Amino acid sequence: MCDNHDRLRSNNKDLQSVERQLDRRHFLKKTSLGIGALALGSLLNTEKAWSSIGNSNGAIDAFTRNKLGLPHHLPKAKRIIYLFQSGGPSQLDLFDYKPKLVDMFGKDLPESVIGGQRLTGMSGSQSTLPVAPSLFKFKQYGESRAWVSEIMPHLSEVVDDLCFVKSMQTDQINHTPAVTFMQTGHQLPGRPSIGSWLSYGLGSENENLPTFITLISKNGKGQPLKAGLWGNGFLPTEHQGVQFRSGKDPVLYLNNPDNYDGNDRKKMLDYLSELNTVQHDAYGDPEIQARMTQYEMAFRMQTSIPEVTDTSDEPEHIFDMYGKDSRDAGTYAANCLMARKLLEKGVRFVQLYHQGWDQHIGCPGGVKNKARQTDQPTAALLKDLKQRGMLEDTLVVWGGEFGRTVYSQGQLTKQNYGRDHHPKAFTMWMAGAGVKPGMSYGETDDFSYNVTKDPVHVHDFHATLMHLFGIDHERLTFKHQGRRYRLTDVHGHVVKDILT
């Protein structure tokens, strides 16, 4: 009898497929998922969950929660533009005004201020750490009376829309781990980025474009940027950020090969989908479905990308507002304009990277040059969103991975100084959806070296960002290698004082 069964099994491919699906590993995997889904559904009790939030004005009824039960509460933000200034902008030369430093020019930074903090190897061996006041003049602007450096004249016009967070802190003192930490919540590579978490939790508003898109200023110099910064980590592959490049091919390998008209592309994808469906039914690997989703997205992007990346129909006054560089594809100004267009088309998360803020030497000239490249288009983006009524539900974030030191790295002169990395006190700002406008939150000491009031850690920033999108950062998790992970790891508190 056994011999007959073995012969039957060896000659019957359908039976072999069934047995593969019912082997111990796949049986446990599939049944556990099924039972778990039933249990989760009963535990969530979605109607009860929503009613516990409150619905006095009926606004909550406008939302249909997705399969993850999101949003957890009424969101203020629908979309985000994150203007990442790579290299560590000097808060002392931009936003954190410290007038008392003028009288301390060249004096050694007191040990009581350093307080045993870690220094980098680039300045830790210096015999002295001379105080370097900013060369730039500061003034107060707007009804909020926010202090802004003279090298940011355009941003000074919109300070009443900004919420400055002057008490940011991070755990990392070197670029690669610090940028990774800011973008993924962990200093080591391999974790999902912020955009991937939002894509996974909230999904897309446009099936013809990626949920998460990255734009990098062309000809950037400075610390290198790696794809892991907008990577999906252990989340399903379809939540990977897609980098748009300048030039005629914004997305590589999207166009058809030469001499191929693409008329049978849809038919080919349909056949491929059938093969992938058979494979998925046999093994239940979710990455097979993710790959199918990516193929279908790529097909739709062949028609959607040329339209959304074409700015030729923008009126002259828009180009004038963003500045002359906005006509040069791939510049920071052009990417700011592109970001607004992408949001209009339903892209949820647009990340801009602008390199070159790492001024260890020649800080005054370097930071002034970076301000020249970014000041006007950043302010224009805020004005543009506001005039279109989009700033109400669009979150705009500006900042780098850490700040700079008050002491000079290298030789200090009356006209020049360098600044080393400083993780324990730096400035970021936010604007738009759900953030209090015209506010400065947190304080630093007279040296912009230590936070003296209302510290905000990177984990707190992430928790607050997720909250604005209607997400409880402690509840959006993903199980990987036996543990449930989240963007904020096991940390983070929502900074409620900066929220409307």
Side-chain angles (χ1 to χ4, degrees), residues 30-240:
K30 290 188 175 183
T31 54
S32 65
L33 287 174
I35 295 171
L38 289 174
L40 179 62
S42 64
L43 288 172
L44 283 176
N45 193 349
T46 56
E47 295 301 322
K48 183 177 179 181
W50 275 115
S51 63
S52 67
I53 297 173
N55 190 21
S56 58
N57 60 3
I60 213 74
D61 291 334
F63 291 88
T64 301
R65 298 201 304 174
N66 62 24
K67 62 182 180 180
L68 296 177
L70 295 172
H72 296 130
H73 56 264
L74 188 65
K76 296 290 185 69
K78 291 178 61 178
R79 60 190 83 86
I80 175 174
I81 297 177
Y82 191 161
L83 306 170
F84 190 79
Q85 312 300 315
S86 176
S90 171
Q91 76 282 359
L92 286 152
D93 295 291
L94 297 172
F95 307 117
D96 202 11
Y97 181 46
K98 299 298 177 184
K100 293 183 180 181
L101 294 180
V102 175
D103 295 332
M104 292 196 66
F105 177 86
K107 295 181 179 180
D108 208 25
L109 183 64
E111 184 60 38
S112 60
V113 175
I114 300 174
Q117 289 186 35
R118 178 187 176 192
L119 306 180
T120 75
M122 293 169 284
S123 60
S125 60
Q126 290 184 194
S127 59
T128 63
L129 299 175
V131 170
S134 176
L135 281 181
F136 305 116
K137 296 178 181 178
F138 281 73
K139 287 178 60 177
Q140 289 178 290
Y141 295 91
E143 294 182 6
S144 61
R145 310 308 295 154
W147 289 100
V148 180
S149 169
E150 63 181 329
I151 60 176
M152 289 283 194
H154 295 277
L155 204 66
S156 66
E157 299 173 359
V158 295
V159 290
D160 287 339
D161 293 318
L162 307 183
C163 177
F164 291 98
V165 181
K166 297 187 175 181
S167 53
M168 286 296 304
Q169 296 180 321
T170 182
D171 297 338
Q172 307 305 317
I173 198 170
N174 291 315
H175 292 288
T176 297
V179 175
T180 304
F181 190 49
M182 184 65 75
Q183 297 299 292
T184 70
H186 199 270
Q187 75 257 27
L188 298 178
R191 299 288 183 92
S193 58
I194 306 171
S196 293
W197 277 112
L198 287 178
S199 174
Y200 169 69
L202 299 176
S204 175
E205 292 188 316
N206 186 335
E207 65 177 10
N208 296 321
L209 288 169
T211 308
F212 174 24
I213 291 175
T214 293
L215 304 170
I216 302 176
S217 302
K218 68 179 183 180
N219 302 323
K221 297 180 180 179
Q223 297 300 320
L225 300 170
K226 299 181 179 180
L229 299 175
W230 51 93
N232 60 293
F234 44 70
L235 294 177
T237 311
E238 65 262 35
H239 304 298
Q240 162 83 30

